[in-house]
Amino acid sequence: LRVLLRSPHLEVSVAPAAVQGSGAAADIAAALGRLAGSGLVDVVIVGRGGGSLEDLWAFNEEPVARAIAASPVPVISGVGHEVDFTIADFVADIRATTPTQAAELVVAQLERQARRLDEAQSALLRDLTRQRVLARTRLAGLAGSSGLARVPHRMRLLRSRLARAERLRAVFGRVKERALARLD
């Protein structure tokens, strides 16, 4: 928990469970199911510190293996010490040698993602600044352009032509009506 809480971007949910003794496997599987099914977590660490083979046996039982395999979110197994292996380690998405290493994997990944986001934000700001400078340069170049100065005159000319075309349409309409009348 100390390793996980080093990261200010991480919210930790703990699902307590018995990790050894009678009923521990069912307890671990139920806790994993609650966490994975909550929709509140992006990764689950199934962890327990070291102990004898008998102490760690719950992590070798079928209910735990099935709960890990059925988890919709990635599961990191951090059970025991470096020399300990359990079935949970082989079913999990990632095996960590200890619960602390499992936490370090999560924090390291989160730090990598935070760095990537910072780099992407910097690149985006740099590109936006460059685009703004280019747009201002183009606009400054257009401000002194003779073509831009002629735009109002060209607009008046086009409006005048449109007005004439409207008048001509009315005239041609009357000419057409007279021609049809004569034809009749």
Side-chain angles (χ1 to χ4, degrees), residues 75-157:
V75 176
I76 300 174
S77 175
V79 178
H81 291 300
E82 289 85 356
V83 296
D84 299 317
F85 283 89
T86 64
I87 291 174
D89 294 331
F90 296 106
V91 179
D93 296 286
I94 298 175
R95 177 197 183 258
T97 57
T98 64
T100 300
Q101 188 199 23
E104 288 169 348
L105 289 171
V106 170
V107 170
Q109 181 65 26
L110 192 61
E111 288 170 350
R112 277 192 296 276
Q113 297 240 344
R115 272 193 308 277
R116 287 181 61 207
L117 282 173
D118 288 345
E119 290 167 4
Q121 181 181 15
S122 295
L124 183 61
L125 287 173
R126 191 174 48 250
D127 290 346
L128 286 173
T129 301
R130 186 173 42 242
Q131 290 293 330
R132 191 180 69 224
V133 167
L134 285 172
R136 284 186 178 175
T137 302
R138 278 190 223 125
L139 187 60
L142 288 174
S145 164
S146 62
L148 191 60
R150 289 190 305 250
V151 167
H153 172 70
R154 296 212 13 101
M155 293 293 290
R156 282 191 301 276
L157 182 64

Side-chain angles (χ1 to χ4, degrees), residues 29-44:
L32 179 66
R34 282 192 312 274
L35 275 177
S38 71
L40 301 174
V41 297
D42 296 317
V43 65
V44 173

Side-chain angles (χ1 to χ4, degrees), residues 8-42:
H9 307 291
L10 191 62
E11 195 172 311
V12 177
S13 297
V14 177
V19 292
Q20 72 183 60
S22 177
D27 211 16
I28 294 165
L32 179 66
R34 282 192 312 274
L35 275 177
S38 71
L40 301 174
V41 297
D42 296 317

